Amino acid sequence: MKYLVLPGRILYSFIFLISAPGLFTRQSIAYAIAKAVPLAQLAVPAAGVIAFVGAVSILVGYRARFGAWLIVLFLVPVTIMMHNFWAAAGSARVMQEINFLKNTSMLGAALMIAYFGAGPFSLDARRARDSSSSA
């Protein structure tokens, strides 16, 4: 079972690694402005940095608990502001509700990583082994 954690971290990180660069585009900033995101010109690229750093941290398992909290910091405002399905109608409502639910499931996974850590086959596990063997 311990072999499942590494592919889980890889698959989980993938969505953030792939989507983070898109948060540096004019289109993403314009969409955030249309959604009334405060200081969108700063907030959207900052969100990209937070998502990317959190994802890399989880991926390699280096300070993964901190990386998971970065993902939480990214997901909470994005989910509420960008996927507010309750303010949409028709097919837009359906799409926003799907994205809202996707984000809440990813939020749940981030909270689990924040609690349990990176698991085996991570730099955190290696650091823990090294520090316990030197004690």
Side-chain angles (χ1 to χ4, degrees):
M1 294 305 273
K2 70 180 181 179
Y3 297 103
L4 296 176
V5 180
L6 178 59
R9 284 196 340 256
I10 293 167
L11 292 171
Y12 182 72
S13 299
F14 192 64
I15 192 168
F16 301 104
L17 294 171
I18 296 301
S19 63
L23 296 173
F24 296 93
T25 65
R26 288 188 191 127
Q27 295 89 346
S28 290
I29 294 169
Y31 185 64
I33 290 169
K35 290 283 209 167
V37 172
L39 301 169
Q41 294 89 343
L42 298 174
V44 174
V49 171
I50 291 167
F52 185 79
V53 171
V56 169
S57 171
I58 291 168
L59 176 67
V60 300
Y62 178 73
R63 301 198 186 275
R65 287 185 166 114
F66 176 74
W69 284 114
L70 288 176
I71 295 298
V72 169
L73 178 66
F74 168 77
L75 282 173
V76 169
V78 166
T79 302
I80 293 167
M81 288 193 263
M82 304 303 287
H83 303 302
N84 55 342
F85 66 92
W86 53 89
S91 61
R93 179 184 174 94
V94 172
M95 290 307 300
Q96 291 306 328
E97 187 172 8
I98 289 168
N99 284 319
F100 182 90
L101 294 171
K102 171 192 56 87
N103 281 18
T104 57
S105 69
M106 292 188 306
L107 181 58
L111 292 171
M112 289 175 57
I113 295 167
Y115 179 79
F116 290 109
F121 307 110
S122 67
L123 294 175
D124 288 346
R126 184 176 179 175
R127 256 188 19 225
R129 275 192 313 272
D130 291 348
S131 68
S132 68
S133 66
S134 65

